[in-house]
Amino acid sequence: MKSIVILISGRGSNMEALLAAGLPARIAAVIGNRPDAKGLATAAAQDVATAVVDHKAYGTRAEFETALAAEIDRHRPDLVVLAGFMRVLGDDFVRRYQGRMMNIHPSLLPAFPGLHTHRRALEAGVRIHGCTVHFVTPSLDNGPIIIQAAVPVRADDDEKSLAARVLAQEHVIYPQAVRWFVEGRLFLGADGRVLLDGAGIPEGALLVPAPEQSGATLRALAESG
Ligand code: GAR
């Protein structure tokens, strides 16, 4: 059975979704870079080993990442899962876990990398927003895409309502991507392409809004027009 280490910085709802998914994998540890990360308590309450590698305790990013890698490697994970881990990671660290580290980002990448994705999506006036799970490569919020979920942006959305709609989909696609990996079906090819069951384009790797959601959006648009 493959084993996983999950890295978090805060709330940890994606981590919770992974813990609840009944994955055929051992969750070896949840590691936070902030001692007050709420998700650490949630993991501990479910008898999952937790650790803190506090970035503030290190003088440089390289020192922090050396300590973080040592803590991760102690658990010998097959996969490192970034679940709301809000530190930019250096090239050496990323290369160490190349092909076995995933991230989830709250936008349809390559649109809106970085922070405040929901606010920026609303400001840009996009009609479709969503979330992306990708293998991690040295550039920020970039890297070969594994799975995405799209949600409609509604006429009356604010940052909070849009974030909630996207988060619900994050909790669907992250367990799916991790499940494919721990089942030994998902790989990052040498050419940087994502392979699921040996095929170039992962089957079912885009979730789209349920028809009733789209219908509600169209009705809202018609009524507001
Ligand atoms: C999630 O929305 C995740 O996509 C985002 O942080 C949130 C963490 O929530 N990650 C990023 O923005 C990474 N660039 P959670 O702690 O409840 O899972």
Side-chain angles (χ1 to χ4, degrees):
M1 188 181 265
K2 288 195 164 55
S3 74
I4 300 171
V5 162
I6 303 175
L7 304 192
I8 63 168
S9 295
R11 179 178 57 185
S13 71
N14 276 288
M15 174 212 73
E16 269 190 89
L18 290 164
L19 295 185
L23 297 169
R26 196 171 71 85
I27 312 288
V30 173
I31 303 172
N33 67 304
R34 301 171 56 107
D36 60 350
K38 265 192 173 170
L40 290 171
T42 314
Q46 298 191 36
D47 292 327
V48 176
T50 61
V52 176
V53 181
D54 185 351
H55 64 277
K56 290 200 181 120
Y58 299 89
T60 64
R61 186 167 78 183
E63 284 166 5
F64 164 63
E65 290 179 359
T66 300
L68 182 59
E71 180 59 35
I72 293 170
D73 293 352
R74 217 163 63 74
H75 302 282
R76 302 183 172 279
D78 297 288
L79 179 67
V80 177
V81 178
L82 307 182
F85 187 71
M86 304 305 278
R87 303 300 299 173
V88 174
L89 296 166
D91 289 7
D92 287 348
F93 185 92
V94 169
R95 279 200 199 96
R96 184 187 192 93
Y97 302 105
Q98 186 93 4
R100 55 191 187 103
M101 182 157 66
M102 285 180 194
N103 182 45
I104 189 154
H105 183 75
S107 77
L108 288 174
L109 290 171
F112 312 121
L115 298 174
H116 309 302
T117 55
H118 310 303
R119 187 190 312 166
R120 287 157 61 209
L122 289 169
E123 282 167 4
V126 295
R127 296 288 176 262
I128 296 173
H129 187 43
C131 47
T132 303
V133 177
H134 62 94
F135 281 112
V136 179
T137 58
S139 55
L140 179 73
D141 293 329
N142 208 332
I145 290 171
I146 298 164
I147 184 168
Q148 296 184 300
V151 303
V153 179
R154 294 184 181 154
D156 59 353
D157 265 330
D158 58 16
E159 209 176 327
K160 206 171 148 205
S161 63
L162 186 55
R165 192 173 311 119
V166 171
L167 191 65
Q169 296 304 313
E170 293 186 40
H171 297 164
V172 175
I173 63 170
Y174 218 178
Q176 176 64 79
V178 172
R179 183 178 295 278
W180 281 334
F181 189 94
V182 299
E183 287 175 349
R185 298 171 57 193
L186 179 71
F187 294 94
L188 178 60
D191 58 359
R193 284 199 319 158
V194 173
L195 298 172
L196 180 68
D197 296 332
I201 298 169
E203 187 189 325
L206 170 68
L207 303 189
V208 294
E212 63 274 20
Q213 277 182 308
S214 306
T217 308
L218 290 176
R219 272 195 302 281
L221 274 177
E223 281 159 19
S224 69

